[in-house]
Amino acid sequence: MTAVEPIKVGAFGLDDRARKLLSLFFAGPCKGRFALVSQFQADVLIVDLDRPSGWNYYQTQNTINPSRPLVAISLHRDREMEVEFFIKKPMRLETVLQVLEKAAARVHGASLSSKPPERPKPPSPQSVASKSRLEERKEAPEEYQFLQLLRRRPKADLAQIKAVAELFYDPAQCIQGHLQRTIQIARAEKQGMQISGFWGRLYIDPLEERAYSELLDSRLRPLTVMRISQREIEVIPIEPDHLQALRQGKNEAIRVITSIDALLWRLSLWSSRGRLPKGTDIESPVFLRHWPNFTRCLETPNAMRIIALWARQPASLTDTLEALHVSQAETFALFSAALAVGCAGIGRRQADSLLSPVPLEPTPQRSLLKRTLNRLFRHEEES
Amino acid sequence: MIEHTIIFTGPLRSGKTSAIASVSDIPVVSTQEVTSDLVLDLGFGITQDKSATLVMDYGCMNLGGEERIHLFATPGDERFDFMWDALTEGAIGVVILLDNSRRSPLKEMDFFLNAFGTLVEKRRAVLGINRMEEHPIPTLRTYQERAGLLEVQVPIFELDPRQPKDVRTALRALLYSQDPGLVQSPV
């Protein structure tokens, strides 16, 4: 970002009048220092906490993209709601300017530093191109963020129908579902496809199994909490010349290059947020077709143990929880991603009398395997 | 001294020595030499190579006390396959590395899955595909489908053997495959 470029400010929950006033204020007294943009392009996001779901939206955005400053506005400042930047309503323009300047300082500070303070070390990059590796290093640590998100999901009583109902989400209503359909078309037709919307463009190359994105992950993640209808999406074939340009790195707008599965995996995890795809029977056996590519796909807590269990024999989600003593959120998020990329499927439910917890006998070598595992983790910490 | 073994195998120049170097506690005892006159045609289009692992390369991981794991790279040449059998016995597992830039990596996958079939059947194998960035075809999907046809279920990862994190990920998958109940001890 250059010095003359305005700070991009997005707003959630402001009505048309407030948005217009803000826009005039930015263009006039602020002399173009700030610009009102869509929330997906914003460097700083204003959130009206007095709107229904305002606080939920604030929390979700804070978890999904903690490096982006959020400015909360409200009639009252609730002490329980910890916010970094706050403007009390009615908003006075000079206060707005002061707070936005502070938030902007954090944006500039973050862009100068590659590491956010007091956070675990960022995970290694998931993308394949050196350009994207460079850019992904600047982002907040995704594994840490995702873990925080999962920890906030309360454990549901699976015996309670209402609690179980709240565990589901509909991938078809999310960017995940739209991307899944685009990938299906691309693979079936063996044709490069472009999926685009108000947020930007993604390109799918089924021959090389690569995805090209105009958005950094920090800009993609906020999309996963939104309902996006089919009308807001355009899916069209990519011209051969354009596909070639993408492969040769000649499209300057591309920010991240990754494998198709790694992209879909990541978006599915974030869309799921510890929930299950609508219609999943938690008592039906999950079977594994193949392991996810864990060197390039985000490895969630206990992911390898769960996948290894399903690789040995199909196990229902409830049996998986019992056999491995893992959390619902991490199991359900992993299942959602595995189902989306097609490495896992769900079988027909058997008669209840046939269902039993998966017997998981320790191998005679468990002690040795554990010492080896600990050695590898020590390596991880030392490096 | 209590000693164990993990084998790194694969065709010539598939990254076995680099993979060992990524996780070994000691510098790899390397025996790489220019051996182009000794390279055989295995039927995979191998006709020449600038250098090849002729004798086993070696590294190790110390587990503490008197216990350690030997990391052996097999010679990537079937004339030495008598050594593979000896190494396989009692091994914790095998990491099979393939080079996606070669002419027929899928045939090589078949070959090595078969050669180390005893370990593959016992879920003591993991497959890493090297050089996928520059050579994306065959895709990982193709390898997965091929393994499915062979009714083999081993973890298959894109793997850069120069990246310790990639190699550690493959090794962890090797361990969890054998025992999903395995948990890391609290530090």
Side-chain angles (χ1 to χ4, degrees):
Chain A
M1 185 177 293
T2 62
V4 291
E5 221 176 307
I7 302 286
K8 295 173 191 156
V9 180
F12 171 83
L14 297 193
D15 59 25
D16 286 347
R17 186 171 162 273
R19 295 180 75 87
K20 196 166 183 181
L21 274 174
L22 206 55
S23 203
L24 288 170
F25 174 61
F26 287 166
C30 294
K31 297 173 183 167
R33 169 98 173 100
F34 302 98
L36 192 63
V37 298
S38 88
Q39 46 191 282
F40 308 100
Q41 299 166 317
D43 300 317
V44 177
L45 190 58
I46 297 174
V47 181
D48 186 348
L49 299 187
D50 298 333
R51 291 276 164 182
S53 76
W55 178 237
N56 275 344
Y57 183 84
Y58 183 97
Q59 285 183 302
T60 308
Q61 291 298 322
N62 199 26
T63 306
I64 286 177
N65 193 356
S67 58
R68 177 166 66 179
L70 296 174
V71 178
I73 58 170
S74 176
L75 286 165
H76 308 285
R77 181 158 194 171
D78 190 332
R79 283 185 183 177
E80 289 182 6
M81 293 180 176
E82 286 184 20
V83 295
E84 187 178 3
F85 300 106
F86 181 79
I87 302 172
K88 193 172 187 305
K89 289 183 192 170
M91 292 193 289
R92 295 176 58 206
L93 292 179
E94 56 268 38
T95 313
V96 173
L97 184 59
Q98 281 171 7
V99 173
L100 285 179
E101 282 294 354
K102 284 182 190 168
R106 184 144 89 73
V107 173
H108 285 306
S111 68
L112 290 173
S113 166
S114 62
K115 281 185 186 174
E118 296 177 12
R119 287 263 165 84
K121 203 172 151 191
S124 69
Q126 309 293 315
S127 52
V128 297
S130 56
K131 178 184 173 186
S132 58
R133 283 186 170 156
L134 189 69
E135 286 167 349
E136 286 202 5
R137 266 201 294 274
K138 292 178 186 170
E139 294 195 16
E142 190 178 12
E143 285 162 6
Y144 172 79
Q145 291 172 36
F146 194 71
L147 191 62
Q148 295 299 100
L149 194 66
L150 292 186
R151 281 181 179 157
R152 278 183 20 206
R153 176 158 288 280
K155 184 181 176 185
D157 180 356
L158 298 181
Q160 298 290 325
I161 292 174
K162 193 181 168 205
V164 172
E166 287 170 1
L167 284 175
F168 294 102
Y169 76 109
D170 185 358
Q173 305 283 332
C174 308
I175 183 74
Q176 175 197 335
H178 298 298
L179 180 62
Q180 259 179 276
R181 276 193 299 279
T182 307
I183 293 168
Q184 275 171 4
I185 295 168
R187 283 176 176 155
E189 306 286 329
K190 295 184 171 53
Q191 161 73 53
M193 299 297 291
Q194 171 192 308
I195 173 171
S196 58
F198 54 91
W199 34 269
R201 294 185 190 86
L202 296 170
Y203 302 95
I204 303 299
D205 177 358
L207 188 64
E208 296 195 349
E209 281 289 319
R210 280 186 177 165
Y212 300 83
S213 171
E214 290 184 355
L215 290 92
L216 288 175
D217 284 338
S218 55
R219 292 285 187 267
L220 266 179
R221 283 200 290 273
L223 289 177
T224 61
V225 296
M226 290 192 66
R227 272 181 168 236
I228 298 177
S229 72
Q230 188 64 47
R231 283 173 304 171
E232 295 170 277
I233 294 285
E234 185 182 43
V235 177
I236 54 169
I238 310 174
E239 294 295 324
D241 289 352
H242 189 190
L243 190 60
Q244 202 55 31
L246 285 166
R247 287 174 180 165
Q248 292 170 353
K250 290 180 181 170
N251 184 331
E252 292 293 322
I254 297 303
R255 308 295 297 276
V256 176
I257 307 169
T258 184
S259 73
I260 291 175
D261 279 357
L263 174 68
L264 182 56
W265 178 270
R266 179 175 291 158
L267 285 186
S268 304
L269 285 177
W270 284 98
S271 299
S272 153
R273 303 193 292 283
R275 297 172 299 168
L276 289 165
K278 190 176 153 188
T280 305
D281 182 352
I282 57 174
E283 300 296 348
S284 289
V286 177
F287 61 87
L288 191 78
R289 292 192 183 92
H290 57 79
W291 278 65
N293 181 19
F294 277 129
T295 54
R296 301 294 176 267
C297 292
L298 180 65
E299 191 186 329
T300 52
N302 289 306
M304 276 203 195
R305 297 180 64 216
I306 298 168
I307 291 293
L309 178 74
W310 294 342
R312 293 175 89 83
Q313 66 176 87
S316 73
L317 291 166
T318 49
D319 285 348
T320 303
L321 297 173
E322 193 175 328
L324 297 178
H325 307 291
V326 286
S327 84
Q328 286 175 3
E330 61 199 34
T331 307
F332 296 167
L334 177 74
F335 170 75
S336 301
L339 192 71
V341 302
C343 65
I346 200 146
R348 193 171 290 175
R349 186 174 181 169
Q350 299 172 44
D352 284 346
S353 59
L354 295 176
L355 294 173
S356 60
V358 182
L360 196 60
E361 298 296 326
T363 59
Q365 281 195 307
R366 176 172 281 188
S367 172
L368 165 64
L369 299 181
K370 191 170 180 174
R371 289 194 297 280
T372 312
L373 187 70
N374 289 340
R375 181 69 195 96
L376 291 170
F377 275 113
R378 280 208 304 279
H379 264 283
E380 201 95 32
E381 285 160 7
E382 287 162 12
S383 62
Chain B
M1 179 68 74
I2 308 166
E3 295 174 332
H4 314 281
T5 308
I6 294 178
I7 305 161
F8 289 75
T9 193
L12 300 167
R13 296 169 61 82
S14 57
K16 301 183 287 286
T17 308
S18 300
I20 290 178
S22 287
V23 291
S24 174
D25 290 332
I26 59 165
V28 174
V29 180
S30 183
T31 57
Q32 282 198 3
E33 291 172 17
V34 176
T35 56
S36 56
D37 56 328
L38 292 174
V39 174
L40 288 185
D41 189 338
L42 300 180
F44 308 133
I46 304 163
T47 52
Q48 60 175 6
D49 214 308
K50 285 178 184 169
S51 70
T53 307
L54 177 62
V55 185
M56 284 187 299
D57 286 353
Y58 168 79
C60 86
M61 286 198 313
N62 293 310
L63 296 186
E66 292 291 296
E67 191 174 23
R68 66 181 172 189
I69 298 176
H70 302 295
L71 309 169
F72 285 118
T74 64
D77 187 324
E78 69 177 2
R79 287 185 305 172
F80 302 100
D81 62 359
F82 64 92
M83 295 163 78
W84 298 356
D85 287 341
L87 285 172
T88 301
E89 206 173 315
I92 292 175
V94 60
V95 179
I96 301 171
L97 291 169
L98 299 174
D99 176 354
N100 220 38
S101 68
R102 291 166 69 96
R103 202 178 295 169
S104 305
L106 289 168
K107 284 184 183 172
E108 290 177 332
M109 177 174 93
D110 294 356
F111 175 81
F112 283 97
L113 284 176
N114 184 52
F116 289 88
T118 319
L119 291 178
V120 171
E121 278 173 21
K122 291 178 182 168
R123 301 180 188 280
R124 293 185 181 191
V126 60
L127 226 124
I129 318 295
N130 187 11
R131 298 197 179 92
M132 288 202 80
E133 285 190 20
E134 313 91 321
H135 301 274
I137 297 171
T139 63
L140 208 60
R141 212 175 156 75
T142 310
Y143 284 100
Q144 289 157 348
E145 285 168 0
R146 181 84 162 206
L149 286 174
L150 299 172
E151 296 185 346
V152 167
Q153 197 174 67
V154 294
I156 305 177
F157 302 138
E158 184 178 341
L159 193 149
D160 182 342
R162 297 163 302 178
Q163 299 295 330
K165 190 168 188 285
D166 280 12
V167 183
R168 284 195 297 263
T169 299
L171 290 177
R172 286 193 295 112
L174 186 68
L175 304 176
Y176 285 124
S177 289
Q178 295 171 52
D179 191 346
L182 206 58
V183 282
Q184 181 199 0
S185 295
V187 179

